[in-house]
Amino acid sequence: MTLKRASDDIDRSEPAKKPTPDTTLHTALPATPLTTASANMDSDDEFNSSQVSDDEFMADQDSDVSIEDDSDFDIDQDDVGFESQDKDIKPTKQTYEVDFIVYSPDQIQGHQDKQVDEVSNILGQPPESTAILLRHERWNKERLIDHYMEKQEETLESAGLGETSTTNPPRLEHVKGFVCDICCEDGPDLDTFAMRCGHRFCVDCYKQYLYTKIKDEGEAARIRCPGDGCNRIVDHKSLDLLVSSDLQARYHELLMRTYVDDKENLRWCPAPNCVYAIQCGVRDKDLIRTVPTVRCDCSHFFCFGCSLNDHQPAPCALVRKWLKKCEDDSETANWISANTKECPKCHSTIEKNGGCNHMTCRKCRNEFCWMCMGVWSEHGTSWYNCNRFEEKSGHDARDAQARSRQSLERYLHYYNRFANHEQSAKLDKDIYLKTEKKMTQLQNTTGMSWIEVQFLDAASQALQQCRQTLKWTYAFAYYLARNNLTEIFEENQKDLEMAVENLSEMFEKPIDLLQGLKVEMMDKTSYCNKRRVILLNDTADNLQKGNWEFNVTL
Amino acid sequence: MSTGAKKRIMREYGECMSDTPPGMKITFDEQNMTEWEILLDGPEQSVYAGGHFKLKLTFPNEYPFKPPVVSFKTKIYHPNVSNDDKGSMCLGLLRPEEWKPPNKVVAVLRLIQTLLIEPNPDDAIEPSIANEYKENRKEFDKTAKDWVKRYAK
Ligand SMILES: [Zn+2]
Ligand SMILES: [Zn+2]
Ligand SMILES: [Zn+2]
Ligand SMILES: [Zn+2]
Ligand SMILES: [Zn+2]
Ligand SMILES: [Zn+2]
């Protein structure tokens, strides 16, 4: 397998001018064009320079994660054998991105068939039996061939393919004096079944057992004999004899799932009803150094490590801890994420109706920040630190009670922001849908044809993705121990947050102004995306190098 | 629930009645035979000696193709019993992957008795209690006995 280096790629610092994204490109970037920098962008230099170091860093990452001197990795890559397929592994674009390939069910089936054929030739077994043997060895063909060459009969036996079962096809029998140990029925006319292990049950019980395993428990490749303590696998000839054709179809579907489940470098897309699988070289042991977000062809972004929705920049282990904590503390935290708050000045109830955190009280016109309830005008200044929790003095900390209160406060600080971005993302989406609808209506009633909602769509997507990232930066920050790198992180977090709020605010403008704001909106969109890339590259780079210190062990 | 399943539960009940494991009392409601109540005495050689534990055994609709579900109604300090209002157990025979349809309730009851004498910290539902059981047996015994006094008299 050859990986293209990032340096082989075109110069990415040049902004793309066409607003149509390349849909076949498998990168974690939103489908949003980069436009030229806007006037309020003070960080062009920063952005470009971070690009240069990214390219340098890419080489590191390649050798760390992808081209490891790790034999099982090589074998698996070889195993997968999709090299000749039409899809190539795309070059990694950014430090925080990983290489991956999306496969359709047909491609997965094709690959299984290819491996079965190959091994079938080596072992001299029919493809049908080879498939059972491969599944039995969890698709580790080297191990299978070794075992088979060493102890042929035993290998066949343990996979339910002993000599007799291949020459004498399985059949139902009537046995004199038989009593079924499951349902206690007896009688000379009772249809019974047993595999070679001799554990005999009535056919109804056998069928019911297989039905429960396949239908309820989703098992296929490793269903054991129903006999107490027996580990013999039910082979598929026996299964075909016993179960109905629709259950057989489900069984074969499950066998395919098993294939992907058994391969460490393959994973199903977790989106509901999605049928694609993703191949990625990142292994469990790599997950403390990288956050492998992949994008399925169904456009769902998820983490290859844990299958949860994209949770950059937080590593999987922190995500698990955080979600557990939120679950445990949900009652304490619930009230804080409630949808209404009081105006800090006049105490009238204010309901959040858009994703924007810049609130204006309808009654007293007080402008404040929804997250920290601080005065909004202070949010642009250098001493603004809405995103950072100020650790209290050591004096307080000595008091145990104060300590526990402070730890709760600290948690709530981060949780509040985490939940807020989650909530805001939903509100942003709502308001975008409403806006889009209103604009279409406007177009219909006035017959105007100037409406081009593409830029709104791009803005909305950027907001969704940036809020998703921001949300997880707060879980990340919660577990971060302060060192000289945290300040840069917090700066990046703050910059992204401000970029997001600026863009989010645009959606609250009157509809008829939006068309005139198109250029500004596109600039703000592109700026948001850039800030996100900068933040993620920084966190990913330091994660790779082991520079972050966490207050928990990963 | 199928008539086959009901038949089997009745048959097992009969077997349990004629051969009840010592230290155990089984009752069930004629109206609802899918729920058994079990009164279990803490085994003499265990930290639970002197306690009387109430358990509920529920047969799922798919019985005997799925295992019965066991829960402690009396609070117990044990690595294999969840320390919440459910008091659930999920190990060995009680796991769907382990359970085989010919297995019988009586085997489940014996398993529970064995676990009271010798907990299985390697397959624990309460990791912190399991850890204490392994690392600080004295403390574990103390709490377990204390809970017997408080909840299981
Ligand atoms: Zn039967
Ligand atoms: Zn058997
Ligand atoms: Zn998908
Ligand atoms: Zn993950
Ligand atoms: Zn007000
Ligand atoms: Zn604020």
Side-chain angles (χ1 to χ4, degrees):
Chain A
M1 188 197 75
T2 48
L3 270 178
K4 273 192 245 165
R5 297 304 172 115
S7 48
D8 296 343
D9 197 22
I10 46 145
D11 180 9
R12 275 172 291 113
S13 56
E14 191 195 313
K17 286 177 188 75
K18 258 178 64 192
T20 39
D22 178 358
T23 47
T24 62
L25 206 63
H26 293 133
T27 78
L29 281 174
T32 312
L34 296 179
T35 56
T36 43
S38 72
N40 64 351
M41 254 192 51
D42 53 353
S43 53
D44 246 359
D45 291 344
E46 204 181 319
F47 181 68
N48 287 336
S49 65
S50 94
Q51 290 286 305
V52 175
S53 57
D54 290 342
D55 289 351
E56 287 166 10
F57 179 67
M58 263 312 303
D60 285 11
Q61 197 198 26
D62 276 353
S63 54
D64 276 7
V65 177
S66 308
I67 316 176
E68 266 175 72
D69 183 27
D70 179 355
S71 57
D72 79 306
F73 177 81
D74 289 338
I75 288 164
D76 269 341
Q77 284 301 329
D78 202 36
D79 257 358
V80 168
F82 282 114
E83 299 84 25
S84 55
Q85 306 272 350
D86 48 349
K87 284 175 179 175
D88 254 72
I89 285 189
K90 297 289 175 187
T92 296
K93 303 290 277 186
Q94 301 287 351
T95 312
Y96 67 89
E97 290 173 325
V98 291
D99 294 307
F100 60 92
I101 315 174
V102 184
Y103 291 120
S104 70
D106 284 353
Q107 287 173 307
I108 295 161
Q109 187 61 57
H111 177 232
Q112 285 190 66
D113 294 347
K114 188 179 157 225
Q115 285 198 64
V116 168
D117 278 352
E118 232 178 87
V119 178
S120 170
N121 285 333
I122 298 171
L123 302 186
Q125 284 282 341
E128 183 185 74
S129 312
T130 308
I132 295 172
L133 288 166
L134 273 167
R135 280 175 201 124
H136 191 63
E137 290 286 356
R138 297 185 183 256
W139 294 93
N140 187 329
K141 66 179 175 196
E142 281 73 18
R143 198 168 61 199
L144 169 62
I145 293 166
D146 282 358
H147 285 183
Y148 189 86
M149 296 305 175
E150 249 172 62
K151 304 171 206 162
Q152 177 171 340
E153 194 47 39
E154 210 181 297
T155 310
L156 289 169
E157 195 59 44
S158 68
L161 292 167
E163 221 177 310
T164 326
S165 60
T166 45
T167 49
N168 295 351
R171 58 197 177 92
L172 306 183
E173 280 178 54
H174 294 178
V175 176
K176 231 177 143 186
F178 169 82
V179 181
C180 176
D181 200 19
I182 298 176
C183 65
C184 318
E185 293 291 335
D186 54 9
D189 299 332
L190 206 60
D191 274 333
T192 70
F193 180 76
M195 292 188 295
R196 271 198 78 210
C197 57
H199 296 110
R200 186 167 294 279
F201 300 98
C202 83
V203 106
D204 286 344
C205 284
Y206 227 115
K207 282 181 176 170
Q208 186 61 39
Y209 173 74
L210 294 174
Y211 180 89
T212 311
K213 287 287 161 193
I214 297 169
K215 212 74 178 176
D216 297 355
E217 291 171 35
E219 268 202 58
R222 281 174 282 276
I223 301 175
R224 296 180 303 158
C225 160
D228 186 14
C230 181
N231 286 325
R232 192 188 180 90
I233 305 293
V234 179
D235 61 284
H236 99 151
K237 275 188 178 161
S238 300
L239 194 123
D240 287 348
L241 174 74
L242 295 168
V243 305
S244 59
S245 57
D246 61 322
L247 205 59
Q248 281 179 34
R250 174 74 183 139
Y251 172 75
H252 288 287
E253 194 187 315
L254 285 166
L255 283 183
M256 178 134 92
R257 292 208 82 86
T258 324
Y259 174 73
V260 172
D261 293 343
D262 282 348
K263 293 286 223 176
E264 211 194 334
N265 61 349
L266 285 176
R267 209 182 247 279
W268 293 105
C269 168
N273 302 321
C274 180
V275 293
Y276 293 108
I278 310 251
Q279 182 197 327
C280 175
V282 173
R283 295 309 167 81
D284 280 356
K285 63 179 166 50
D286 303 323
L287 293 176
I288 51 167
R289 287 277 179 269
T290 184
V291 186
T293 303
V294 296
R295 183 189 199 254
C296 179
D297 280 1
C298 75
S299 83
H300 179 60
F301 284 94
F302 70 96
C303 170
F304 188 81
C306 67
S307 287
L308 290 175
N309 286 355
D310 173 24
H311 57 68
Q312 302 260 15
C316 299
L318 289 188
V319 170
R320 267 194 302 278
K321 280 186 206 298
W322 177 256
L323 293 176
K324 177 88 174 62
K325 180 160 184 61
C326 294
E327 203 178 291
D328 294 349
D329 294 356
S330 61
E331 254 167 65
T332 332
N334 265 347
W335 62 271
I336 229 148
S337 62
N339 238 343
T340 56
K341 279 186 186 176
E342 279 183 5
C343 165
K345 209 168 156 190
C346 75
H347 301 289
S348 61
T349 303
I350 293 174
E351 198 176 322
K352 204 162 180 243
N353 54 9
C356 175
N357 286 316
H358 179 179
M359 306 301 295
T360 305
C361 174
R362 283 187 199 283
K363 213 170 152 196
C364 72
R365 312 303 301 166
N366 174 31
E367 289 178 55
F368 63 99
C369 165
W370 178 263
M371 280 204 274
C372 68
M373 305 301 280
V375 184
W376 187 261
S377 58
E378 287 167 4
H379 276 62
T381 70
S382 55
W383 49 274
Y384 160 56
N385 47 28
C386 181
N387 61 335
R388 177 191 305 167
F389 180 77
E390 292 291 304
E391 307 283 348
K392 294 247 173 66
S393 70
H395 175 76
D396 270 9
R398 257 174 254 126
D399 180 353
Q401 214 190 333
R403 205 159 46 227
S404 89
R405 197 180 318 123
Q406 197 198 333
S407 100
L408 178 65
E409 264 176 43
R410 183 175 180 276
Y411 165 65
L412 287 178
H413 170 90
Y414 291 107
Y415 177 77
N416 188 10
R417 283 150 183 79
F418 176 87
N420 190 274
H421 282 297
E422 192 166 71
Q423 179 69 14
S424 294
K426 285 186 198 121
L427 297 170
D428 281 337
K429 182 123 200 170
D430 287 353
I431 208 161
Y432 160 67
L433 292 174
K434 259 186 238 155
T435 307
E436 197 193 25
K437 206 172 143 200
K438 273 191 226 157
M439 287 187 85
T440 316
Q441 272 168 7
L442 205 63
Q443 185 185 17
N444 291 341
T445 51
T446 61
M448 286 186 290
S449 59
W450 47 264
I451 296 170
E452 197 206 284
V453 286
Q454 191 57 44
F455 75 98
L456 283 176
D457 189 59
S460 171
Q461 277 194 44
L463 276 180
Q464 294 296 310
Q465 201 163 28
C466 289
R467 288 219 193 262
Q468 179 77 6
T469 301
L470 273 173
K471 182 176 113 172
W472 285 108
T473 60
Y474 283 106
F476 184 76
Y478 176 75
Y479 293 111
L480 209 53
R482 288 205 85 81
N483 67 14
N484 52 345
L485 291 169
T486 27
E487 229 151 280
I488 299 167
F489 166 75
E490 282 170 348
E491 279 298 304
N492 284 334
Q493 186 186 38
K494 190 187 79 183
D495 287 345
L496 177 59
E497 197 148 62
M498 294 216 296
V500 163
E501 295 309 337
N502 281 337
L503 180 59
S504 177
E505 219 166 54
M506 303 282 289
F507 276 102
E508 296 185 354
K509 300 260 197 278
I511 304 281
D512 49 342
L513 290 183
L514 274 182
Q515 181 61 16
L517 296 169
K518 181 177 164 182
V519 175
E520 194 186 343
M521 202 138 173
M522 284 172 77
D523 286 345
K524 286 191 166 149
T525 301
S526 113
Y527 183 62
C528 274
N529 288 330
K530 281 184 181 184
R531 293 305 331 171
R532 177 172 174 272
V533 168
I534 290 167
L535 184 143
L536 290 181
N537 277 341
D538 173 67
T539 47
D541 183 20
N542 286 309
L543 191 66
Q544 274 288 333
K545 293 173 179 157
N547 287 342
W548 297 117
E549 289 166 38
F550 297 107
N551 49 32
V552 285
T553 41
L554 288 193
Chain B
M1 185 174 273
S2 70
T3 44
K6 285 181 187 156
K7 221 168 122 183
R8 179 160 150 174
I9 294 173
M10 284 316 290
R11 199 185 189 94
E12 284 199 63
Y13 185 70
E15 280 169 16
C16 282
M17 286 294 100
S18 60
D19 182 25
T20 311
M24 220 177 259
K25 219 183 117 204
I26 305 167
T27 47
F28 84 96
D29 182 358
E30 295 282 339
Q31 303 302 311
N32 180 16
M33 60 169 132
T34 62
E35 272 187 21
W36 293 12
E37 193 180 275
I38 292 141
L39 268 171
L40 181 66
D41 295 336
E44 278 316 317
Q45 63 270 57
S46 74
V47 286
Y48 307 104
H52 306 283
F53 300 90
K54 206 203 264 179
L55 281 82
K56 198 171 87 183
L57 195 141
T58 313
F59 295 93
N61 278 336
E62 299 85 355
Y63 191 77
F65 299 97
K66 286 197 176 163
V69 179
V70 172
S71 60
F72 270 77
K73 296 286 115 189
T74 307
K75 238 171 127 65
I76 182 168
Y77 193 75
H78 193 290
N80 305 109
V81 182
S82 74
N83 182 16
D84 55 19
D85 52 357
K86 294 189 189 71
S88 41
M89 293 185 86
C90 182
L91 76 163
L93 273 188
L94 291 166
R95 286 155 31 85
E97 308 87 76
E98 290 296 316
W99 173 265
K100 291 286 190 81
N103 293 147
K104 304 278 158 26
V105 170
V106 108
V108 170
L109 299 177
R110 294 225 165 85
L111 169 77
I112 296 166
Q113 263 181 334
T114 314
L115 281 169
L116 290 193
I117 298 165
E118 196 172 345
N120 179 354
D122 296 323
D123 196 0
I125 200 165
E126 291 292 341
S128 59
I129 299 179
N131 201 45
E132 189 182 72
Y133 179 79
K134 282 205 272 196
E135 308 287 330
N136 192 350
R137 190 60 177 276
K138 246 182 154 169
E139 194 59 34
F140 169 83
D141 288 358
K142 195 171 156 274
T143 314
K145 282 181 185 159
D146 189 45
W147 281 32
V148 169
K149 269 190 219 125
R150 269 161 62 192
Y151 306 110
K153 279 295 170 189

